[in-house]
Amino acid sequence: MSDVHAQTVPFVRKSMLPEAEPPARQRGVPLWLRENLFSGWFNTILTILGAAAAIWLVASILPWMLRGVWNADSLRECRDIVIERYGEGVTGACWAMIRERWPQYIFGMYPQDIFWRPTLAFVLLLVAIAPVLYLSLPRKLLIFSALYPALAYWLLWGGTIWLPVMVLVGFALGWGALRLVLPRFGAIVATAVAVLVPVLWWGLLAGDAAQDLQGLVPLALRPVGSAAFGGFLLSFVLGVTGVSLSLPLGLLLSLGRRSDLPLIHYLCVGFIEFIRGVPLITLLFTASLLLNYFLPPNSDFDIILRVIIMVTLFAAAYIAEVIRGALAALPRGQYEAADALGLDYWKAQRLIILPQALKISIPGIVSTFIGLFKDTTLVVFIGLRDPLKGVTDMIRQTTAWKGIYWEPYIFVGALFFVICFSMSRYAMYLERKLERGH
Amino acid sequence: MTDQALHPDAPADAALHGDPAKMQISDEVAIRIAGMNKWYGSFHVLRDIDLTVHRGERIVICGPSGSGKSTLIRCINRLEEHQSGDIIVDGTELNSDLKNVDKIRSEVGMCFQHFNLFPHLTILENCTLAPIWVRKTPRKEAEETAMHFLRKVKIPEQADKYPGQLSGGQQQRVAIARSLCMRPRIMLFDEPTSALDPEMIKEVLDTMIELAEEGMTMLCVTHEMGFAQAVANRVIFMDQGQIVEQNEPHEFFRNPRSERTKLFLSQILGH
């Protein structure tokens, strides 16, 4: 025993071992397969069942899709072509409907000769959101982003350009009033004045001013009513406006819910809980039907505007809760450090708390946005032509495409998927970009 | 460090630390706390605190956990609100007037146990944020000041990194630099080394000692008794929300008078 000990315990290595590869079974594809697909009898069975289900699904759908007909004028013609090509009893998709009717899916009943207007508005939308999404782009581009809503409104709805310009002037007046009053009378008075001045401007003067200016410099596009909007144009108008308005509103609500001032706190709690407590459909019906009872008779309050307000309020309540969760997750020390450095409440929120809270809440916020975008299809219930059912029903009512079923849903579903998936990928990109190594 | 504390007669490392007695203390009052009380609900955390701190004084506050020492210094910049008594910092009374609170906070620097750097900002941005947004210093000037203090705490090369990429000791030194960038007249330290590895404690203490040598008025809650011996003019021992004993460090360690202090010292130095 002691001999063995004497030989084994003292040890000096004479040469260092070279690095070696793990055995074949422990690396590369075999390892991955074994760890992920066949790591036990139960998982092996699941893998086989899963693979079989996937193969069966693809095998039953793919041929139908590939047999699809792209050139035809009616569903009847589609079916004849499939039978002619593949024989009696075989079915195939009829993509020809999409080929013929896609302008309606994109633009709804928007007048055909001015499709360039929504198209231009869409292209400019990409320009306007680029600096918002990508922080590396020059910040000066944000000026265009700020002007874009007015420009898009003018392009889409037409009419005189002076109306959106006068609305912008209202914002400028508010800003000017804030700068003028803030140093003299403090934050509360300044905020009140900054809200009151533009509201008075819009309510009393803006309309007349726009008319007078239109008389002086006539610059107008053919007006298009909200009833003509439909398809993805409608979804985008509702979705983009809802997203861009609900984030700031949700932010304020989340801060309000954490406020020490009881009035603000309970207002925000009440609002959030009410909105989250009722289905979106209820709010949409309220927008389309009930509001009319409260508005003065004959007042023309645009239906799309009403829906935008409801969708925004709905999403804002959810976003408020997502952000509140992130605010609660921030260590108390962050608030204390901001306080100790002498930052006031708004500066601390803006510079320290919200940048961190928003980063934490990116996944939740984007989920809410995706939900909001998909929920825009619910406007079909108040008579607007959403792409999924509104436009599809409209097309099915024509004799040529009566009876078509799967194709429109697949098409619209695919487009929704592309848009929502892009949002989710962007969120992942943003999270990675904001990662700060801890 | 323990060694020095065990033998209070041994001279402090004079070359490095200087002689506390020679540092200038003026007659000017920096902080006056009189008859201050604080409750958490019905729990009486601070009881009748009287404390006057002169400009240039360096005070170490020690005591068992829950004795109210952190709460005391957190009251000085109103991270905690006191319910009765007066706190006057640099001639400004700390009351519910937010202007006074902001004024005091911008003149009193504070370092926390967990550093509380802003993780989404670079080291440089951490240091320039308050000067730019509170003091309205031009960015360029704020950055120069920040680099000056980062050099002082010996980590100018980390300026463009994020706090998460630094060690604990480095983060605490950044936190000190961040406070100094506001040119505070008083510095508060709330257990600045308690969350650090032994190796990193020294680098932070060296920075604090250097600060003390320049005549900064400091209130420091710490258990680093070596630090207390090296730089403090006064050591305050707190227990159950009260100041139990205070003395200059030499006497405090050699001749503690209260039984409670004796017990505390024997516990923290006795191993």
Side-chain angles (χ1 to χ4, degrees):
Chain A
M1 191 63 202
S2 63
D3 269 1
V4 176
H5 194 74
Q7 277 163 18
T8 52
V9 169
F11 171 76
V12 179
R13 181 170 290 286
K14 296 204 174 63
S15 64
M16 301 305 280
L17 295 174
E19 204 174 315
E21 290 220 322
R25 275 172 56 81
Q26 295 297 329
R27 63 185 143 103
V29 180
L31 177 69
W32 187 89
L33 283 176
R34 201 149 35 77
E35 278 189 344
N36 294 294
L37 299 179
F38 304 104
S39 61
W41 64 267
F42 184 66
N43 284 348
T44 307
I45 290 172
L46 282 186
T47 300
I48 292 166
L49 283 179
I55 290 167
W56 176 76
L57 260 178
V58 170
S60 42
I61 295 171
L62 198 62
W64 177 80
M65 292 180 101
L66 291 179
R67 280 198 293 267
V69 175
W70 286 92
N71 285 305
D73 289 330
S74 68
L75 183 61
R76 162 114 262 118
E77 204 184 325
C78 264
R79 287 182 177 156
D80 288 346
I81 292 172
V82 171
I83 288 170
E84 190 185 308
R85 277 191 204 154
Y86 303 100
E88 202 64 46
V90 180
T91 56
C94 186
W95 305 121
M97 187 279 281
I98 289 155
R99 189 185 140 94
E100 195 192 276
R101 294 303 187 117
W102 70 266
Q104 272 167 353
Y105 277 108
I106 306 301
F107 301 110
M109 299 296 282
Y110 209 85
Q112 205 148 12
D113 56 319
I114 45 173
F115 275 174
W116 66 270
R117 274 161 51 179
T119 313
L120 179 62
F122 179 71
V123 172
L124 292 179
L125 169 71
L126 299 182
V127 178
I129 59 172
V132 179
L133 297 185
Y134 298 99
L135 304 172
S136 53
L137 290 172
R139 295 293 85 192
K140 287 220 170 89
L141 286 174
L142 285 172
I143 297 172
F144 177 72
S145 310
L147 298 179
Y148 176 78
L151 182 58
Y153 171 82
W154 186 55
L155 281 173
L156 292 175
W157 274 273
T160 168
I161 194 174
W162 296 110
L163 190 66
V165 169
M166 288 304 112
V167 172
L168 284 181
V169 167
F171 284 110
L173 284 175
W175 173 248
L178 186 72
R179 294 297 295 267
L180 212 65
V181 178
L182 190 59
R184 273 160 237 185
F185 299 98
I188 297 171
V189 180
T191 314
V193 171
V195 172
L196 212 62
V197 167
V199 166
L200 286 177
W201 165 257
W202 290 324
L204 301 176
L205 293 170
D208 293 340
Q211 232 161 31
D212 293 349
L213 280 165
Q214 174 66 16
L216 286 176
V217 190
L219 247 180
L221 288 171
R222 167 148 53 108
V224 178
S226 288
F229 283 58
F232 279 95
L233 170 60
L234 180 63
S235 283
F236 262 87
V237 168
L238 298 177
V240 172
T241 328
V243 163
S244 39
L245 294 178
S246 63
L247 184 60
L249 184 60
L251 249 175
L252 289 178
L253 282 171
S254 70
L255 293 180
R257 188 162 190 171
R258 288 171 66 84
S259 169
D260 294 332
L261 307 169
L263 181 68
I264 292 178
H265 172 79
Y266 286 113
L267 268 178
C268 291
V269 171
F271 176 86
I272 291 169
E273 296 303 339
F274 170 72
I275 296 279
R276 289 201 309 164
V278 296
L280 179 56
I281 296 280
T282 318
L283 295 176
L284 291 178
F285 278 133
T286 311
S288 78
L289 302 170
L290 274 176
L291 273 185
N292 281 348
Y293 294 114
F294 300 112
L295 291 171
N298 299 327
S299 64
D300 182 26
F301 191 18
D302 190 89
I303 181 72
I304 290 187
L305 183 59
R306 280 186 265 171
V307 170
I308 284 175
I309 292 173
M310 287 306 178
V311 168
T312 303
L313 296 183
F314 190 75
Y318 282 88
I319 286 175
E321 287 299 278
V322 170
I323 297 177
R324 187 170 70 95
L327 288 173
L330 278 192
R332 247 177 78 85
Q334 292 292 312
Y335 294 88
E336 288 177 352
D339 282 348
L341 285 170
L343 292 164
D344 63 32
Y345 175 80
W346 288 108
K347 280 178 191 153
Q349 295 296 335
R350 184 154 62 94
L351 301 166
I352 310 298
I353 307 303
L354 288 179
Q356 296 184 62
L358 286 177
K359 194 203 135 201
I360 301 176
S361 36
I362 288 172
I365 291 177
V366 171
S367 291
T368 312
F369 284 170
I370 288 176
L372 181 153
F373 186 63
K374 291 189 297 184
D375 283 351
T376 58
T377 55
L378 291 175
V379 296
V380 70
F381 291 109
I382 54 168
L384 294 178
R385 292 194 187 86
D386 82 299
L388 192 64
K389 191 165 161 55
V391 173
T392 303
D393 281 357
M394 193 171 75
I395 292 167
R396 279 207 201 108
Q397 278 159 14
T398 61
T399 37
W401 305 109
K402 199 163 188 261
I404 197 159
Y405 193 72
W406 291 105
E407 292 84 343
Y409 292 136
I410 293 173
F411 171 66
V412 174
L415 270 184
F416 265 107
F417 176 78
V418 168
I419 296 162
C420 296
F421 188 65
S422 317
M423 285 201 245
S424 132
R425 296 308 291 195
Y426 171 75
M428 287 169 75
Y429 154 83
L430 194 62
E431 276 182 80
R432 264 202 312 279
K433 195 175 160 59
L434 296 177
E435 187 61 60
R436 290 292 181 256
H438 51 84
Chain B
M1 221 155 281
T2 329
D3 216 36
Q4 225 177 61
L6 278 174
H7 307 284
D9 293 324
D13 187 347
L16 179 64
H17 299 153
D19 185 353
K22 283 186 191 147
M23 292 185 211
Q24 284 301 307
I25 300 171
S26 77
D27 291 335
E28 192 190 337
V29 173
I31 303 171
R32 169 166 289 137
I33 300 175
M36 192 259 277
N37 282 278
K38 174 169 179 60
W39 291 264
Y40 284 129
S42 60
F43 176 54
H44 201 173
V45 263
L46 290 177
R47 305 179 195 178
D48 217 16
I49 303 287
D50 289 299
L51 177 65
T52 303
V53 182
H54 292 271
R55 172 100 33 237
E57 243 195 317
R58 296 162 304 278
I59 295 178
V60 163
I61 304 171
C62 60
S65 69
S67 60
K69 52 198 190 306
S70 282
T71 311
L72 170 60
I73 70 163
R74 287 160 61 89
C75 281
I76 294 172
N77 64 354
R78 197 116 173 145
L79 288 183
E80 305 282 354
E81 210 169 310
H82 61 283
Q83 275 97 29
S84 74
D86 299 322
I87 301 179
I88 297 162
V89 182
D90 263 340
T92 309
E93 184 176 354
L94 198 53
N95 48 27
S96 54
D97 187 343
L98 286 178
K99 281 212 178 82
N100 285 359
V101 175
D102 285 342
K103 181 166 184 289
I104 287 170
R105 279 177 176 170
S106 65
E107 281 174 17
V108 177
M110 179 149 195
C111 290
F112 300 87
Q113 182 177 0
H114 297 288
F115 333 131
N116 298 352
L117 293 178
F118 306 129
H120 62 302
L121 300 176
T122 62
I123 300 307
L124 188 65
E125 288 165 343
N126 262 281
C127 294
T128 56
L129 184 114
I132 289 174
W133 290 94
V134 179
R135 289 243 192 279
K136 314 280 180 218
T137 315
R139 176 173 297 273
K140 201 163 171 311
E141 195 184 318
E143 283 177 359
E144 279 163 16
T145 312
M147 286 312 294
H148 166 78
F149 284 112
L150 286 175
R151 272 192 295 275
K152 204 170 141 73
V153 300
K154 301 187 182 66
I155 34 177
E157 71 283 358
Q158 312 282 7
D160 294 323
K161 289 195 181 165
Y162 287 95
Q165 296 166 306
L166 268 56
S167 74
Q170 288 173 325
Q171 289 194 44
Q172 192 60 290
R173 284 185 284 152
V174 172
I176 295 173
R178 176 175 74 175
S179 299
L180 293 178
C181 284
M182 287 293 277
R183 310 272 185 189
R185 307 186 70 189
I186 298 163
M187 283 287 289
L188 308 174
F189 293 86
D190 188 2
E191 306 206 24
T193 55
S194 303
L196 297 175
D197 289 344
E199 289 176 71
M200 295 171 182
I201 290 176
K202 185 175 178 310
E203 63 188 52
V204 171
L205 288 181
D206 285 348
T207 307
M208 291 167 63
I209 289 165
E210 208 175 300
L211 205 56
E213 283 168 354
E214 288 168 11
M216 176 67 78
T217 310
M218 291 165 70
L219 264 84
C220 188
V221 173
T222 184
H223 296 123
E224 298 298 332
M225 292 306 139
F227 172 78
Q229 297 227 356
V231 301
N233 316 98
R234 195 169 7 147
V235 179
I236 292 178
F237 174 70
M238 286 184 71
D239 191 24
Q240 292 171 24
Q242 296 150 78
I243 295 179
V244 173
E245 183 165 350
Q246 54 175 316
N247 211 333
E248 53 98 7
H250 193 69
E251 276 297 299
F252 179 85
F253 290 110
R254 200 173 53 182
N255 284 326
R257 284 174 222 163
S258 130
E259 286 305 315
R260 188 65 194 85
T261 315
K262 283 178 193 161
L263 181 66
F264 176 75
L265 285 178
S266 74
Q267 271 163 353
I268 64 165
L269 303 175
H271 53 79

